[in-house]
Structure formats: C-alpha cells, structure tokens
Amino acid sequence: MTDEKAALQHYVREGREAVLWKVEELSEYDLRRPMTPTGTNVLGVVKHLATMELGYFGDVFGRPSGIPTPWMEPGAEFNADLWAAPDESSAWVLDLYRRACAHADSTIDALDLDSRGSVPWWPSGGVTLHRILVHMIQETGRHAGHLDIVRELIDGAVGRGPGNDNMTTDDQQQWRDHRDRLERIARDA
C-alpha cells in the first residue's frame, strides 16, 4: 500500500473491525455490565468511539454529521459517553457506531491529508486530517485493547477477530498453567 491516506484509513478500519468483533454474541447484560472499578463496559466503549468518530471527523473539519450526541452536552449525566442509557439499546449503539464510521469515511474520502481543521478541546486547536487519522488509529487501538481485556474477562474470547485469535496456542490447559506460573512468580516477588 503506497498511498499514505489509504494506509492510514486501512488501520482505522482494521481497528473498527476489531471493536465490532468484540461485541458479537454477547448478551445485553454482558454488553452493559461494568467490568472495572471505573465502570468500563463493552457498549460504553463503542458509544465513546462513535462519539470520537463524529467529533474528530465531523465537527473538527466543519462537516457535522447531524447525528445528535446529547450525552456530550453541558448538564449530561456523569461520563455519559462511556455507558449506554436504558433507552439506548445495543442495536442502537452499534448502529450509531456504524453511522459515525461511515460519516468519518466520507470526510476522509473528501479531504486531503493536509486539510486543516480545529479541535476546540485541544490546547493547540489546529490540526490536519493526517494528524486526526493518526490520533484515531491510536484512540481506536487503545479502546480495542480495553475491549480485548473486558471480553476475555466476560467469556474468555480473545484475539483480533474471527479466524485470527493472534494467540500462540489454543491449548486452554497451557494457558491455565502459564497463568498459575505467573501468579506464583508475582507472589514470590
């Protein structure tokens, strides 16, 4: 892949695919249940990433999507972009994410890498599409990593996607032995 913009867009899309795979076959409860002391949950991470796609590839470049994000308005509930409200179904959040990604892709397709935008919530403000693509690769990858851990805690599913678990072995006993060994090393440290 020699086209820099196409390469960057490829990595953004690859991250998005990993995110969407992490939600497959989970119950509504498992999608919403808080798995960390700060409430990290699968559906909330997807909602947050949708919000980031809409903001960074929409408003930042003067290309608003028209998709409302009331959870980002002043007075919204605490941390509202990182959890799904009772009236926000998993289907709705996943559709939001897909629509946000489609809007982002239309911005990426329409603009050159050196196109200028402004991120009002960043101290420096001014950015290029190139910088936002790099930022969203990092943002999506970071949160896909959160989803990797959360999903493994929920049901043991691991890997990058269907048919690509990216693991060195599928021998569950070997993993249990490995984890037990690491636990012993940690206790002895």
Side-chain angles (χ1 to χ4, degrees), residues 5-41:
K5 185 167 126 177
L8 292 168
Q9 193 168 21
H10 166 79
Y11 286 110
V12 167
R13 287 179 173 153
E14 190 174 79
R16 292 171 183 163
E17 289 168 9
V19 166
L20 289 170
W21 179 69
K22 292 299 176 179
V23 305
E24 287 183 9
E25 299 179 14
L26 288 178
S27 69
E28 196 71 29
Y29 170 72
D30 284 334
L31 286 168
R32 293 171 177 273
R33 74 192 254 214
M35 297 300 295
T36 68
T38 58
T40 302
N41 64 90

Side-chain angles (χ1 to χ4, degrees), residues 21-22 148 152 156-161 163-172 174-175 178:
W21 179 69
K22 292 299 176 179
D148 285 340
E152 185 174 1
V158 295
R160 298 185 69 175
N164 181 8
D165 69 8
N166 202 40
M167 304 298 285
T168 55
T169 181
D170 61 359
D171 181 339
Q172 294 307 306
Q174 187 173 2
W175 284 116
H178 176 67

